[in-house]
Amino acid sequence: MKKIAVFVSGGGSNLQALMDAITDGYIKDASIVVVVSNKKEAYGLERAVKSGIDTLFLDPKDFKNAQEYDKNLAEKMNALKIDIVCLAGYMKILKPIFLEVFKGKVLNIHPALLPSFGGEGCYGLHVHEKVLEAGVKVTGVTVHFVDEGADTGPIILQKTVEVSDEDTPESLQKKVLKYEHESYKEALKYVVQDRVSINGKKTYIKPSGKI
Ligand code: GRF
């Protein structure tokens, strides 16, 4: 049984998709044991409570700096024996002190096709604004492992979404979000099944018959 922690800062629709995927049996042998947030008002925390999952709100104001915050977070996740951390709209860059402990075990989802339209400042509606400004005809979703950069870790899975002439940042966000939910649960399933290996920037997913 893999123990999962999901980190959120906002609405948590991706968290919901992951919780549902476990409840309905799409992802087996896994359990979300805690939902963590740096924002007290994050609706994701409420979603967790509604599903009977423990929550942990860690207030950045209670720590000297981000380093101390992440050190404490790593200790707490270690104490819970967390195997996999899923970032789902978590608006904080994890420090090396956390990532060293959970190397190759932290996943993130990004609402565009990385390495385009990612990095510092590329979050929320900004991503989709930049996509429309660039005039690309396809955008999409990326699920990746987290490394010390912003949106630079090895890619696990990507799905494409067409951009239409009528799209606005809001409509694109909505369209992409639907694919995010599908993609995140699929990628997490592979990781839970230990089918994903990492070699430098590249990941390899073993076919299901060869677990
Ligand atoms: C998603 O677009 C995700 O890709 C990004 O933050 C957003 C979170 O949405 N990292 P939600 O809170 O899961 O609804």
Side-chain angles (χ1 to χ4, degrees):
M1 175 72 70
K2 295 278 194 313
K3 290 181 160 193
I4 299 167
V6 183
F7 292 10
V8 300
S9 300
S13 70
N14 279 288
L15 160 69
Q16 189 69 54
L18 299 182
M19 292 190 302
D20 292 347
I22 291 174
T23 309
D24 69 20
Y26 175 82
I27 299 174
K28 295 184 177 63
D29 300 320
S31 158
I32 298 175
V33 296
V34 66
V35 171
V36 177
S37 183
N38 60 325
K39 301 259 185 223
K40 199 173 183 181
E41 68 284 0
Y43 183 61
L45 289 176
E46 228 171 281
R47 291 185 191 264
V49 170
K50 282 186 184 148
S51 295
I53 295 172
D54 286 349
T55 60
L56 171 66
F57 162 58
L58 268 191
D59 194 341
K61 289 205 283 295
D62 293 340
F63 296 86
K64 209 166 62 193
N65 51 37
Q67 172 87 357
E68 289 300 313
Y69 185 97
D70 280 6
K71 185 168 172 258
N72 188 280
L73 198 50
E75 283 163 8
K76 289 202 160 73
M77 294 305 105
N78 256 339
L80 288 170
K81 300 201 181 337
I82 295 300
D83 298 298
I84 302 166
V85 175
C86 291
L87 308 185
Y90 183 63
M91 300 297 290
K92 251 172 143 278
I93 306 263
L94 288 170
K95 295 281 174 201
I97 198 160
F98 187 95
L99 293 172
E100 277 154 19
V101 180
F102 287 93
K103 203 171 159 49
K105 294 175 175 176
V106 184
L107 279 66
N108 182 42
I109 186 154
H110 185 76
L113 295 174
L114 294 174
S116 294
F117 310 110
E120 298 261 3
C122 235
Y123 61 89
L125 274 181
H126 299 307
V127 179
H128 308 291
E129 280 161 10
K130 285 186 203 291
V131 162
L132 290 174
E133 272 161 32
V136 294
K137 302 291 185 190
V138 277
T139 181
V141 177
T142 304
V143 185
H144 63 96
F145 286 112
V146 176
D147 66 8
E148 274 138 36
D151 300 327
T152 53
I155 292 169
I156 303 168
L157 184 152
Q158 291 185 303
K159 289 197 195 292
T160 56
V161 177
E162 279 188 28
V163 180
S164 77
D165 294 344
E166 291 73 38
D167 269 321
T168 60
E170 290 78 11
S171 71
L172 211 47
Q173 183 177 49
K174 206 168 150 198
K175 263 195 327 200
V176 169
L177 195 59
K178 224 177 87 202
Y179 284 85
E180 289 189 40
H181 301 157
E182 292 302 310
S183 309
Y184 214 170
K185 68 178 191 184
E186 186 179 338
L188 179 60
K189 179 177 177 154
Y190 299 150
V191 173
V192 164
Q193 293 175 336
D194 289 322
R195 284 166 57 191
V196 187
S197 57
I198 309 174
N199 186 0
K201 272 287 190 192
K202 203 166 157 37
T203 70
Y204 298 87
I205 301 172
K206 277 187 225 138
S208 59
K210 296 186 187 165
I211 302 172

